[in-house]
Amino acid sequence: MFRLFIILIIFSSHASAQTAIPFDSPRWTIQAEEAVQETHLGQPALRVKRGAAVLKDANFRNGIIEFDIALSNGRYFPAVNFRMQDELNYEQYYLRPHQSGNPDAMQYTPVWNGLGGWQLYYGAGYNNPVQLPVDRWLHVRLVVKDKQAEVYLDKKDTPVLFIRELKRDVASGMIALVNGAPATTWFSNFSYAPGDDVTLKGRAEPPAPLPAGSITEWQVSNVFTEKSLAGKTWLKPEDAAALSWKTLGADYNGITDLAMLAGVTQDSNTVFVRKVIEADQPGIRKLSFGFSDRAKVYLNNKLLYAGEDVFMSRDYRFLGTVGFWDAVYLDLKKGRNELWIAVSETFGGWGIKARLEE
């Protein structure tokens, strides 16, 4: 009896930490084109179009977030944002109902300066195939622990996604339920339990080593307008005069997420990434690289390459993801060489990866 009593106390204490917040609570800040409280599929719900419900005082760092979501047919991306520092910086897990059953039916991405990075972060640890039902309630449970997280659907014991590395710094922040599209989403039964005592079932395997010659650090310029490089086959001293530089490293996949330093606007959407190459002797070396969304490669001020990998630019299923998809051969002189790559962004991820092959 005494042992059973202890177990019940522990269970009760754990359950009481889960805080349910109905959508009529003043704790929610709701900003949406349409946000209506109603009964949907037998449950009290918040119907949302083009907007979000934000729990500004969540102070959520680690713990559990749970809610029900009812999806409708359409191409859209309902999401839960967590560890939000402000409207432009947070972690995000979202669903793609129109891709139900496909490898990209759901996605994790960090958001820096208003830019998500789904073109940079894809594959194992970022997205998985899953069936997403329409016109019924789907239960979502997100378990967050330091630099990793897991997602469970429909109260099952096996996670549908193990997020091997949350990219942003571990920090407490807001929670938001988001639907930025005109298609309708319903949310219901939201609760959360902050705490550092949660455990994850998944374990991250050590990442594979990067290919030899991978560039793991760049000098990155301030943002400028892509139009300033139109027709420019040679860079001049005045092109560099107004630039300032910061150092930014690559992640374990070799990708450098440029949004970590700045956001973009319609007029200011480009940075240079710069790497100094010291050559013992003159010769040709292959540079394999990938980028999002557009790139121009300059070596010692001369334009060698211009390319575009925008979403759907090659065919209707081309995602614009970043890999070693392209190559250019660098004619290096003996001594110091400067490699400059102008990387321009539209949406979906602003990044670069490259390796200099022997």
Side-chain angles (χ1 to χ4, degrees):
M1 286 289 295
F2 180 74
R3 182 180 178 185
L4 177 62
F5 179 69
I6 293 294
I7 291 173
L8 287 173
I9 288 177
I10 293 173
F11 179 80
S12 175
S13 174
H14 176 75
S16 65
Q18 194 83 7
T19 303
I21 306 178
F23 290 108
D24 59 0
S25 168
R27 292 182 62 185
W28 289 106
T29 299
I30 299 176
Q31 298 174 325
E33 180 181 285
E34 179 178 295
V36 178
Q37 295 183 51
E38 62 184 12
T39 299
H40 181 68
L41 299 174
Q43 295 183 186
L46 181 68
R47 185 179 80 229
V48 179
K49 291 183 181 180
R50 294 191 186 277
V54 184
L55 195 64
K56 292 188 175 181
D57 63 354
N59 197 33
F60 182 85
R61 178 178 183 271
N62 289 327
I64 300 171
I65 300 170
E66 296 192 67
F67 58 93
D68 294 336
I69 186 170
L71 303 169
S72 56
N73 285 310
R75 182 179 180 275
Y76 70 121
F77 314 92
V80 54
N81 300 342
F82 57 101
R83 291 180 177 170
M84 291 180 64
Q85 303 306 295
D86 52 44
E87 293 183 352
L88 300 178
N89 296 278
Y90 46 87
E91 307 279 20
Q92 183 179 78
Y93 168 76
Y94 65 94
L95 304 174
R96 293 185 177 98
H98 56 291
Q99 295 294 346
S100 178
N102 290 332
D104 52 350
M106 60 179 175
Q107 185 92 32
Y108 156 72
T109 183
V111 177
W112 276 289
N113 295 303
L115 289 173
W118 56 269
Q119 292 174 319
L120 312 184
Y121 309 108
Y122 59 92
Y126 301 114
N127 54 270
N128 263 341
V130 69
Q131 295 295 326
L132 298 175
V134 175
D135 295 330
R136 79 160 173 86
W137 287 111
L138 174 69
H139 187 74
V140 178
R141 183 171 186 257
L142 179 66
V143 183
V144 180
K145 176 69 172 178
D146 298 332
K147 293 293 286 183
Q148 297 174 330
E150 288 176 334
V151 180
Y152 297 79
L153 297 182
D154 275 344
K155 301 184 179 180
K156 294 181 179 178
D157 293 332
T158 302
V160 295
L161 179 64
F162 172 66
I163 303 170
R164 61 170 299 151
E165 183 183 49
L166 296 168
K167 296 295 183 178
R168 295 183 53 86
D169 291 339
V170 177
S172 299
M174 300 175 282
I175 299 171
L177 301 176
V178 182
N179 174 28
T184 303
T185 295
W186 293 264
F187 296 103
S188 182
N189 289 334
F190 174 87
S191 65
Y192 78 111
D196 294 330
D197 59 343
V198 294
T199 58
L200 303 177
K201 294 183 178 180
R203 293 291 181 270
E205 297 294 330
L210 290 172
S214 293
I215 298 176
T216 58
E217 186 177 88
W218 298 91
Q219 291 291 307
V220 182
S221 77
N222 54 298
V223 185
F224 58 91
T225 176
E226 184 179 11
K227 296 175 183 178
S228 67
L229 296 178
K232 186 160 291 188
T233 57
W234 286 91
L235 297 177
K236 299 178 180 179
E238 54 265 33
D239 295 318
L243 298 178
S244 58
W245 301 89
K246 294 181 179 180
T247 301
L248 188 60
D251 71 359
Y252 63 84
N253 285 320
I255 293 177
T256 299
D257 190 337
L258 302 170
M260 295 174 69
L261 295 183
V264 300
T265 66
Q266 187 173 357
D267 294 325
S268 298
N269 65 339
T270 302
V271 295
F272 275 116
V273 297
R274 179 177 66 180
K275 191 70 178 177
V276 174
I277 304 170
E278 295 287 350
D280 295 334
Q281 57 187 6
I284 305 295
R285 293 186 68 179
K286 180 182 179 182
L287 180 77
S288 297
F289 62 103
F291 54 87
S292 177
D293 284 316
R294 293 171 298 282
K296 290 186 174 181
V297 178
Y298 293 83
L299 179 68
N300 298 327
N301 299 319
K302 180 182 179 181
L303 179 65
L304 302 182
Y305 168 97
E308 181 172 327
D309 279 347
V310 178
F311 174 64
M312 294 180 66
S313 61
R314 302 187 183 186
D315 61 60
Y316 79 101
R317 282 294 290 153
F318 177 68
L319 299 178
T321 52
V322 175
F324 294 124
W325 314 142
D326 294 273
V328 65
Y329 289 82
L330 306 180
D331 187 4
L332 300 177
K333 64 184 181 181
K334 183 178 180 179
R336 181 185 176 93
N337 298 266
E338 289 201 16
L339 172 68
W340 290 36
I341 305 177
V343 187
S344 303
E345 168 66 357
T346 301
F347 79 102
W350 194 13
I352 181 78
K353 70 181 299 185
R355 59 178 295 219
L356 192 60
E357 300 184 26
E358 293 296 338

